[in-house]
Amino acid sequence: MSGIPGTAVIQITNLSPAVSSEQMRTLFGFLGDIEELRLYPPDNAPLPFSSKVCYIKYREPSSVGVAQHLTNTVFIDRALIVVPCAEENKNLDLNGGIFLHSLFKHLFL
């Protein structure tokens, strides 16, 4: 069970600053078909950061529950935290993408 009925989105936190979008797509792509993936800060960010956050939208909501089983898995040098994430109302989303934390919207969009 995903915790948020019907959501197909997960948020992965506590990511190493060395992680790339391609690595995240490879790791989480084994759990279901990925419709959209966003990594913040992005791979080409000019400033160094101590951690990254990733949002993944699967085609099927059932993949969310499976992905949560990767919580506490050490990836690169940190234990992942995977939680279901509510999708933002598509009518209010100016980027046409998935829910983003307001801090990341302000910094990178």
Side-chain angles (χ1 to χ4, degrees):
M1 187 80 175
S2 69
I4 299 177
T7 188
V9 180
I10 57 170
Q11 176 192 54
I12 306 108
T13 56
N14 198 37
L15 291 170
S16 169
V19 76
S20 70
S21 297
E22 192 57 38
Q23 289 171 319
M24 295 303 292
R25 188 172 297 281
T26 299
L27 178 63
F28 284 89
F30 286 109
L31 308 176
D33 292 332
I34 294 175
E35 191 172 298
E36 187 174 359
L37 182 146
R38 294 205 184 175
L39 182 64
Y40 297 95
D43 294 333
N44 57 356
L47 299 172
F49 287 86
S50 60
S51 185
K52 289 187 175 184
V53 176
C54 185
Y55 293 91
I56 295 175
K57 182 174 184 178
Y58 286 104
R59 287 208 171 96
E60 297 294 326
S62 61
S63 298
V64 170
V66 177
Q68 285 183 271
H69 288 288
L70 288 182
T71 294
N72 289 326
T73 299
V74 176
F75 187 62
I76 300 181
D77 62 347
R78 303 202 182 164
L80 302 177
I81 300 168
V82 182
V83 295
C85 185
E87 295 181 62
E88 187 174 5
N89 183 332
K90 296 296 182 189
N91 295 328
L92 300 176
D93 188 0
L94 301 176
N95 300 310
I98 58 178
F99 174 82
L100 304 176
H101 188 275
S102 61
L103 173 64
F104 292 111
K105 269 190 176 178
H106 179 70
L107 290 175
F108 298 105
L109 299 177

